[in-house]
Amino acid sequence: LLGRDVIKPNINIIKKSIFQKIVMVTGAGGSIGSELSRQIFFQKPLFILLVESSEIALYNIYSELQLKQKSGYCPDVSIVPLLVNVQDKEKLAYVFESWKPHIVYHAAAYKHVPLVEHNIIAGISNNVIGTLICAKLAIKNKTKHFILLSTVKAVRPKNVMGASKRLAEMALQS
Protein backbone atom coordinates (compact mmCIF):
# COMPACT_ATOMS: atom_id res chain seq x y z
CA LEU A 1 0.00 0.00 0.00
CA LEU A 2 2.75 2.47 0.92
CA GLY A 3 5.15 1.32 -1.78
CA ARG A 4 7.99 0.40 0.55
CA ASP A 5 9.50 -2.84 1.78
CA VAL A 6 8.11 -4.46 4.89
CA ILE A 7 10.67 -4.64 7.69
CA LYS A 8 10.03 -7.54 10.02
CA PRO A 9 10.75 -6.94 13.71
CA ASN A 10 13.88 -8.48 15.19
CA ILE A 11 12.35 -10.85 17.74
CA ASN A 12 15.67 -11.25 19.60
CA ILE A 13 15.90 -7.51 20.24
CA ILE A 14 12.25 -7.35 21.27
CA LYS A 15 12.62 -10.27 23.68
CA LYS A 16 15.81 -8.80 25.13
CA SER A 17 14.12 -5.48 25.91
CA ILE A 18 10.80 -6.92 27.18
CA PHE A 19 11.24 -10.46 28.54
CA GLN A 20 11.23 -10.44 32.36
CA LYS A 21 11.35 -6.63 32.41
CA ILE A 22 8.99 -4.02 33.84
CA VAL A 23 7.27 -2.49 30.82
CA MET A 24 5.01 0.57 30.92
CA VAL A 25 2.53 1.38 28.17
CA THR A 26 0.93 4.82 28.35
CA GLY A 27 -2.35 5.16 26.53
CA ALA A 28 -2.65 1.39 27.01
CA GLY A 29 -6.36 1.34 26.22
CA GLY A 30 -6.20 3.33 23.00
CA SER A 31 -6.11 1.98 19.46
CA ILE A 32 -2.31 1.85 19.31
CA GLY A 33 -1.64 1.31 23.02
CA SER A 34 -3.98 -1.67 23.31
CA GLU A 35 -2.33 -3.45 20.36
CA LEU A 36 1.09 -2.73 21.85
CA SER A 37 -0.10 -4.09 25.19
CA ARG A 38 -1.27 -7.31 23.55
CA GLN A 39 2.01 -7.83 21.74
CA ILE A 40 4.12 -6.95 24.78
CA PHE A 41 2.09 -9.32 26.96
CA PHE A 42 3.08 -12.27 24.75
CA GLN A 43 6.78 -11.38 25.12
CA LYS A 44 6.40 -12.24 28.82
CA PRO A 45 7.48 -9.15 30.72
CA LEU A 46 7.76 -9.46 34.48
CA PHE A 47 5.17 -6.68 34.83
CA ILE A 48 3.15 -4.82 32.23
CA LEU A 49 1.99 -1.46 33.58
CA LEU A 50 -1.12 -0.38 31.71
CA VAL A 51 -1.31 3.40 32.13
CA GLU A 52 -4.56 4.87 30.84
CA SER A 53 -6.77 7.89 31.66
CA SER A 54 -10.02 6.34 30.41
CA GLU A 55 -11.58 3.93 32.89
CA ILE A 56 -13.49 1.96 30.26
CA ALA A 57 -10.50 1.69 27.92
CA LEU A 58 -8.30 0.51 30.80
CA TYR A 59 -10.94 -1.97 31.92
CA ASN A 60 -11.24 -3.38 28.40
CA ILE A 61 -7.53 -4.05 27.81
CA TYR A 62 -6.99 -5.26 31.38
CA SER A 63 -9.93 -7.67 31.12
CA GLU A 64 -8.77 -8.91 27.73
CA LEU A 65 -5.26 -9.69 29.00
CA GLN A 66 -6.65 -11.34 32.14
CA LEU A 67 -8.86 -13.52 29.95
CA LYS A 68 -5.82 -14.56 27.92
CA GLN A 69 -4.10 -15.54 31.19
CA LYS A 70 -7.11 -17.57 32.29
CA SER A 71 -6.87 -19.36 28.94
CA GLY A 72 -3.33 -20.39 29.84
CA TYR A 73 -1.25 -17.70 28.15
CA CYS A 74 1.63 -16.07 30.03
CA PRO A 75 0.50 -17.02 33.54
CA ASP A 76 3.54 -15.41 35.18
CA VAL A 77 3.05 -11.94 33.70
CA SER A 78 1.76 -9.46 36.27
CA ILE A 79 -0.75 -7.11 34.66
CA VAL A 80 -1.08 -3.82 36.53
CA PRO A 81 -3.93 -1.47 35.51
CA LEU A 82 -3.15 2.13 36.45
CA LEU A 83 -5.81 4.79 35.98
CA VAL A 84 -3.46 7.75 35.48
CA ASN A 85 -3.40 10.70 33.10
CA VAL A 86 0.10 11.45 31.75
CA GLN A 87 -0.53 15.14 32.45
CA ASP A 88 -0.82 14.40 36.18
CA LYS A 89 2.82 14.79 37.17
CA GLU A 90 2.38 13.73 40.81
CA LYS A 91 0.51 10.50 40.06
CA LEU A 92 2.79 9.63 37.17
CA ALA A 93 5.85 10.33 39.34
CA TYR A 94 4.45 7.92 41.92
CA VAL A 95 4.10 5.23 39.24
CA PHE A 96 7.68 5.72 38.02
CA GLU A 97 9.12 5.83 41.54
CA SER A 98 7.15 2.78 42.68
CA TRP A 99 7.66 0.54 39.67
CA LYS A 100 10.92 1.76 38.06
CA PRO A 101 9.98 0.62 34.53
CA HIS A 102 12.83 -0.58 32.33
CA ILE A 103 11.08 0.51 29.15
CA VAL A 104 8.23 2.91 28.38
CA TYR A 105 6.11 2.74 25.25
CA HIS A 106 4.48 6.17 25.18
CA ALA A 107 1.29 5.92 23.12
CA ALA A 108 -0.83 8.31 25.20
CA ALA A 109 -1.87 10.94 22.69
CA TYR A 110 -4.92 12.45 21.13
CA LYS A 111 -4.77 11.31 17.52
CA HIS A 112 -8.17 12.15 16.04
CA VAL A 113 -7.66 15.28 13.97
CA PRO A 114 -11.23 16.69 14.15
CA LEU A 115 -11.34 16.33 17.94
CA VAL A 116 -7.97 18.01 18.46
CA GLU A 117 -8.91 20.81 16.04
CA HIS A 118 -11.95 21.53 18.25
CA ASN A 119 -10.03 21.04 21.50
CA ILE A 120 -6.69 22.70 20.82
CA ILE A 121 -5.62 23.30 24.43
CA ALA A 122 -6.45 19.72 25.42
CA GLY A 123 -4.56 18.37 22.40
CA ILE A 124 -1.43 20.38 23.07
CA SER A 125 -1.58 19.71 26.81
CA ASN A 126 -1.88 15.97 26.34
CA ASN A 127 0.36 15.47 23.32
CA VAL A 128 3.16 17.88 24.22
CA ILE A 129 3.06 18.52 27.97
CA GLY A 130 2.05 14.93 28.81
CA THR A 131 4.90 13.58 26.68
CA LEU A 132 7.40 15.95 28.25
CA ILE A 133 6.28 15.05 31.79
CA CYS A 134 6.52 11.35 31.00
CA ALA A 135 9.96 11.68 29.38
CA LYS A 136 11.40 13.76 32.23
CA LEU A 137 10.15 11.22 34.77
CA ALA A 138 11.68 8.41 32.72
CA ILE A 139 15.04 10.21 32.79
CA LYS A 140 14.77 10.98 36.50
CA ASN A 141 13.99 7.34 37.30
CA LYS A 142 16.69 5.95 35.00
CA THR A 143 14.32 4.21 32.59
CA LYS A 144 16.54 2.42 30.07
CA HIS A 145 14.37 2.94 26.96
CA PHE A 146 11.64 5.44 26.08
CA ILE A 147 9.76 4.80 22.84
CA LEU A 148 7.52 7.58 21.52
CA LEU A 149 4.77 6.35 19.23
CA SER A 150 4.18 9.19 16.84
CA THR A 151 2.41 9.63 13.55
CA VAL A 152 3.16 10.31 9.93
CA LYS A 153 1.07 13.47 10.36
CA ALA A 154 3.92 14.95 12.41
CA VAL A 155 6.37 14.92 9.47
CA ARG A 156 4.95 18.03 7.81
CA PRO A 157 2.05 19.00 10.05
CA LYS A 158 -0.94 20.61 8.41
CA ASN A 159 -3.13 20.76 11.51
CA VAL A 160 -2.95 21.23 15.27
CA MET A 161 -2.84 17.50 15.99
CA GLY A 162 0.15 16.97 13.68
CA ALA A 163 1.88 20.05 15.06
CA SER A 164 1.36 18.86 18.63
CA LYS A 165 2.91 15.49 17.78
CA ARG A 166 5.82 17.22 16.03
CA LEU A 167 6.39 19.39 19.12
CA ALA A 168 6.43 16.24 21.26
CA GLU A 169 9.07 14.72 18.97
CA MET A 170 11.16 17.90 19.12
CA ALA A 171 10.90 17.99 22.91
CA LEU A 172 12.25 14.44 23.11
CA GLN A 173 15.02 15.16 20.65
CA SER A 174 16.19 18.09 22.77
Side-chain angles (χ1 to χ4, degrees):
L1 182 65
L2 295 177
R4 52 182 132 147
D5 294 335
V6 174
I7 299 172
K8 295 192 183 232
N10 185 325
I11 296 300
N12 292 328
I13 292 173
I14 293 171
K15 283 183 179 177
K16 186 177 178 182
S17 64
I18 295 174
F19 182 72
Q20 290 297 293
K21 299 285 195 305
I22 300 170
V23 180
M24 176 191 287
V25 180
T26 68
S31 56
I32 295 169
S34 61
E35 183 57 33
L36 270 172
S37 298
R38 289 179 198 101
Q39 292 186 29
I40 290 166
F41 173 77
F42 285 111
Q43 297 304 317
K44 300 180 182 170
L46 187 61
F47 290 92
I48 181 167
L49 310 176
L50 305 173
V51 175
E52 175 58 59
S53 64
S54 164
E55 179 192 17
I56 189 63
L58 181 59
Y59 176 79
N60 287 339
I61 189 63
Y62 178 59
S63 297
E64 180 183 330
L65 295 180
Q66 281 189 312
L67 188 60
K68 290 181 189 306
Q69 275 190 323
K70 289 176 183 168
S71 299
Y73 294 102
C74 309
D76 297 329
V77 175
S78 293
I79 308 164
V80 182
L82 299 165
L83 196 56
V84 177
N85 186 313
V86 294
Q87 296 173 69
D88 189 332
K89 187 177 181 179
E90 287 74 32
K91 286 182 185 172
L92 198 59
Y94 180 78
V95 171
F96 271 94
E97 291 162 10
S98 299
W99 292 97
K100 300 288 187 196
H102 297 102
I103 185 166
V104 173
Y105 287 89
H106 182 61
Y110 295 149
K111 301 171 186 79
H112 296 90
V113 174
L115 294 180
V116 176
E117 295 302 306
H118 287 286
N119 298 278
I120 293 171
I121 302 297
I124 291 171
S125 295
N126 191 67
N127 295 357
V128 181
I129 306 301
T131 298
L132 195 54
I133 289 169
C134 196
K136 284 183 175 183
L137 287 168
I139 292 167
K140 180 180 177 185
N141 289 278
K142 298 179 176 31
T143 299
K144 189 168 173 90
H145 300 286
F146 187 96
I147 313 297
L148 172 66
L149 283 292
S150 196
T151 173
V152 71
K153 294 173 186 132
V155 176
R156 284 186 211 88
K158 296 182 178 3
N159 52 49
V160 174
M161 193 285 299
S164 71
K165 294 297 286 175
R166 180 69 183 124
L167 280 171
E169 290 175 357
M170 292 169 70
L172 290 182
Q173 288 170 338
S174 69

